[in-house]
Amino acid sequence: MVCIRTPKYSVSINGELHGFFSSGRGIRQGDPMSPYIFTLVMEIFTGLLDIQTRRLDFRFFWCCKPFRLSPLFFADDVLLFAEASLPSIELLKDGIDKFSNWSGLVPNLRKSEVFLSGGSFDLWQDILNKLGFQMGTLPFRYLGVLVICARLSKADCVSLVNSITVHL
């Protein structure tokens, strides 16, 4: 936790370090320790979310239910899946808040999005208000891959394949 909450940085000018200053927001992407610390800290977050998703009020998103899948972690992003119901969202929010209080890491509200399908407009508003995130639109792409519940077709992958083959 000391590495997360209290990193200090120095500026190198012409190969010489000049002073130290504290980070106002914790460890930064690009720090050599960042991937290791992210992995360790996300293990704690996974444990907290696992506890929350085992509660009786939690309902998994329908295609995640057989696997009891709620969080997915990629790079420095987190994808959470749940049924669009207030009890499920409140449990996820409680897990996020517990993790934030423990770690000092908080979601960036300008970059965090909720993707909803089904349910009423009022339910959507309640969920957005509860989480404080922006509304995203479905389907969406993550790391160049279309995120949908159905099996990806060849057409869904064309842009990804094209972007990979351009760099070969």
Side-chain angles (χ1 to χ4, degrees), residues 130-161:
K130 174 60 83 176
L131 294 172
F133 299 162
Q134 298 176 48
M135 178 70 139
T137 57
L138 291 171
F140 68 98
R141 291 191 178 274
Y142 183 76
L143 300 177
V145 178
L146 190 64
V147 177
I148 57 175
C149 289
R151 174 177 244 148
L152 290 173
S153 69
K154 184 177 179 181
D156 294 328
C157 300
V158 168
S159 65
L160 177 62
V161 170

Side-chain angles (χ1 to χ4, degrees), residues 14-126:
N14 295 328
E16 290 186 38
L17 297 178
H18 295 276
F20 286 91
F21 58 93
S22 296
S23 168
R25 300 205 45 161
I27 198 161
R28 292 291 192 203
Q29 188 173 354
D31 187 298
M33 290 295 293
S34 183
Y36 305 109
I37 292 173
F38 177 80
T39 301
L40 292 172
V41 171
M42 288 303 108
E43 283 295 315
I44 302 299
F45 192 30
T46 300
L48 284 170
L49 292 174
D50 186 51
I51 291 167
Q52 296 302 97
T53 59
R54 291 182 186 275
R55 304 244 167 120
L56 293 178
D57 286 347
F58 186 83
R59 300 283 180 259
F60 285 94
F61 181 61
W62 69 268
C63 64
C64 300
K65 188 174 184 174
F67 312 104
R68 295 188 49 82
L69 175 71
S70 180
L72 286 178
F73 301 98
F74 298 102
D76 60 352
D77 296 321
V78 179
L79 299 175
L80 300 176
F81 302 93
E83 180 181 275
S85 68
L86 278 180
S88 295
I89 299 307
E90 287 170 353
L91 287 168
L92 284 181
K93 177 70 167 132
D94 186 48
I96 292 168
D97 291 345
K98 285 178 184 175
F99 177 74
S100 293
N101 290 334
W102 171 78
S103 68
L105 301 172
V106 295
N108 183 332
L109 299 182
R110 288 180 285 137
K111 294 182 178 179
S112 300
E113 294 179 313
V114 176
F115 300 92
L116 297 163
S117 66
S120 68
F121 178 78
D122 289 340
L123 175 62
W124 289 17
Q125 286 304 122
D126 289 344

